[in-house]
Every structure is written in C-alpha cells, then in structure tokens.
Amino acid sequence: VILKFVLDEVRSGKEHGQMLMTKCNFRDLKKASMLYALCSMLFVCGFAANAAPAAEDFITRDVAVIRVMDKAAGRARTLHAPVGVRTEWEKLEILVRACRDTQPFAAHDSFMFVEIAKRATPAAPRIRIFSGWMTASAPGDNPLQDAEYDLWLTRCE
C-alpha cells in the first residue's frame, strides 16, 4: 500500500511527488514500479488459484453409472443408480446423494457423492463401509476399500 502511494504521488507530480523525484533517481523508480507490478500479479494469481469451483461449473445428473465387482466370485456388473434411491446389489446397499458432470467445454469428469452400506446377512443390520466423493477420472483417489467388493463411478447420466 505504501509503495502504491509513493508511485501515485511520483506519477501525479504533486508537491510531495516532486520532492520524492529529487531524492530518487530513475533506476529506483523503475525498480519500484516493477516490484509493484510483480506484487499485484502474485496477489491476483494467488486468489485465482485458490478459488473453488462454483456450483454452476457442474451439471447435476439424475443417474450414476457404477461398476461393481465381487472379488471372490469374479463377477462384475454395471449398475444404474438413481440419485436419492437405494440400490441393492448382493450384500451392498448403495445410496447416491449427488452425481455431477463438468461443463461441456471443460475437461470431462464425473463426480458422485455416495453412501455404501453392507449387510452380513439379509436380517443383519447394515453397516456403513463408505461415505464420500468418487470421481470417474481417478477411481483410485477415494476408493471403496472392502475385502469383498470393488466399486467405482463410470459416468453420470
């Protein structure tokens, strides 16, 4: 802020600015201007880099296309899980809370917030084994870690 004030005063040619011009030479003014420009760029870029994506950056979808694999049996199946509806497959109970795609002109990716519960037997209470976001482009970033099942998002529809 002080550097900006000094530069503004020097450029405006006011009395203080004229006094400052007599005390500093052109090289000092050039260094100060470059320093001010660099600080401004870093300040603006820092805020741009830390900005979170806005809600309008995504398209909300109604159905998550999920791939599920039973490791012991070696079976895999593609499930279409509607958002907000419990979907069952073998011992798993899958509840997709949100499914979103990126905008058409951005790099394509799909995101799903899902809660997964497992039952040991049909009469047993379900136990939540996963709750969180999954991405289609990087299924290994936040995977379902279970001894019997693998589950990942393929896309949103």
Side-chain angles (χ1 to χ4, degrees), residues 18-64:
Q18 291 169 354
M19 188 171 70
L20 284 172
M21 280 300 277
T22 59
K23 291 185 178 180
C24 64
N25 60 23
F26 179 74
R27 182 182 290 166
D28 292 336
L29 181 61
K30 187 176 178 183
K31 284 182 186 177
S33 296
M34 290 175 63
L35 181 62
Y36 175 71
L38 179 64
C39 290
S40 298
M41 285 186 349
L42 290 175
F43 183 76
V44 171
C45 291
F47 277 112
N50 291 330
E56 60 270 4
D57 291 343
F58 300 100
I59 300 170
T60 301
R61 302 291 187 189
D62 297 327
V63 176

Side-chain angles (χ1 to χ4, degrees), residues 132-151:
W133 286 96
M134 289 186 176
T135 61
S137 65
D141 283 353
N142 196 17
L144 167 67
Q145 295 180 351
D146 185 67
E148 293 181 75
Y149 299 101
D150 276 345
L151 182 141

Side-chain angles (χ1 to χ4, degrees), residues 59-133:
I59 300 170
T60 301
R61 302 291 187 189
D62 297 327
V63 176
V65 181
I66 302 169
R67 190 84 174 148
V68 186
M69 183 174 70
D70 181 344
K71 294 178 189 177
R75 276 192 316 250
R77 182 172 175 201
T78 301
L79 301 175
H80 288 71
V83 174
V85 178
R86 293 191 188 278
T87 304
E88 293 187 19
W89 188 71
E90 294 187 1
K91 298 178 188 176
L92 295 180
E93 191 173 281
I94 303 158
L95 177 59
V96 177
R97 296 279 185 189
C99 200
R100 298 183 179 136
D101 277 335
T102 53
Q103 289 290 339
F105 297 108
H108 185 266
D109 202 359
S110 296
F111 305 90
M112 160 181 78
F113 188 86
V114 63
E115 295 174 357
I116 303 168
K118 184 176 169 184
R119 295 178 188 256
T121 63
R126 63 179 180 258
I127 300 167
R128 183 179 292 172
I129 58 173
F130 182 86
S131 178
W133 286 96

